[in-house]
Amino acid sequence: AAVSITIIALVETLLAGKVVDDMTGKKFCTLDDEATVPTEDEVELYDEYILSDYDVPTRSVVAMSAGNLISAFLGGFGGCGLIPQTVLNLKSGGGGPFSSISYAIAMASFVVFFAPLVGKISQAALAGIMLAIAYDTVSWGSSVEAIKAVINPSSHPDVNGRAASRTQRLIELLALGISSYVCFFGNLAVGIIAGVTFQRGLLSIYKRLDSGGSNMEAAY
């Protein structure tokens, strides 16, 4: 259970950052390929590292881990970056550190002072808000692109600009379907792991078979 919660918290936090990038058209929360983690020798040379030297996803995970550790010592529950609250924050015009601080203060105020008023909000109203946020959260464009890539793979190269076969695109689409199904009807962590394992495994097998066939043709 602890491992599942950890995976869900990490994925939810990183996905919240990805949603920010998709909604703003920027790449602040995208993993930086050039970002490096200090080695043991580098740690011995410096007493501490400035957290701003790391990319945004790394800082987000470190901050979440530190917050959960402190919360556990104080007898509280763990938490993570949440996509619905992130979307609502952006829709309301937020986007900086002050908006996060305001959210924390507002949540504490609702729990301590305004709990009776919040309890009067109907479940129907809350459900409508969650449905609207869920619709905005889904990456509809990427899902449609995955289907188009299967139909016409030549016009949809991979992230490196290289052409991908229809089989590769079909594997990716099947991984998307498996993850969506398991996450919706089962467990989020299991769905993510199943989708990634399915995609990586089949792509590895496909590449081995494809390279083996090419070697056989070259031999003849």
Side-chain angles (χ1 to χ4, degrees):
V3 175
S4 298
I5 294 174
T6 301
I7 295 175
I8 293 173
L10 289 172
V11 172
E12 181 83 5
T13 300
L14 296 176
L15 284 179
K18 183 65 169 58
V19 169
V20 173
D21 285 347
D22 292 341
M23 294 182 66
T24 60
K26 300 178 181 179
K27 297 298 179 183
F28 290 133
C29 301
T30 301
L31 286 172
D32 187 2
D33 295 334
E34 299 179 357
T36 57
V37 177
T39 62
E40 294 182 0
D41 295 334
E42 292 174 334
V43 172
E44 292 178 356
L45 293 176
Y46 301 95
D47 294 334
E48 62 181 10
Y49 274 82
I50 301 175
L51 194 58
S52 59
D53 291 340
Y54 299 101
D55 52 25
V56 174
T58 302
R59 279 183 283 167
S60 300
V61 172
V62 171
M64 179 193 69
S65 302
N68 286 336
L69 181 62
I70 296 173
S71 176
F73 277 117
L74 296 177
F77 291 98
C80 64
L82 298 174
I83 296 176
Q85 282 81 343
T86 301
V87 173
L88 183 61
N89 184 26
L90 290 175
K91 293 283 187 179
S92 303
F98 183 73
S99 64
S100 300
I101 297 174
S102 301
Y103 170 75
I105 295 175
M107 286 296 295
S109 301
F110 287 144
V111 172
V112 177
F113 302 110
F114 305 115
L117 294 177
V118 175
K120 294 182 179 180
I121 300 177
S122 65
Q123 293 185 355
L126 293 175
I129 295 173
M130 292 304 298
L131 284 175
I133 294 176
Y135 178 83
D136 290 334
T137 303
V138 175
S139 183
W140 299 105
S142 300
S143 302
V144 173
E145 286 297 320
I147 299 175
K148 291 182 178 179
V150 175
I151 300 174
N152 189 10
S154 59
S155 60
H156 294 80
D158 59 15
V159 293
N160 296 320
R162 295 175 296 186
S165 65
R166 179 173 281 105
T167 303
Q168 290 176 288
R169 292 306 189 188
L170 183 59
I171 292 174
E172 294 173 355
L173 182 61
L174 289 175
L176 172 63
I178 290 175
S179 294
S180 301
Y181 180 85
V182 177
C183 288
F184 186 80
F185 291 101
N187 183 280
L188 178 62
V190 175
I192 294 171
I193 295 174
V196 172
T197 303
F198 176 84
Q199 180 179 358
R200 296 290 185 181
L202 284 189
L203 284 177
S204 178
I205 295 173
Y206 169 76
K207 290 179 179 178
R208 287 180 180 272
L209 294 176
D210 187 57
S211 61
S214 301
N215 293 333
M216 290 289 293
E217 293 178 0
Y220 283 107

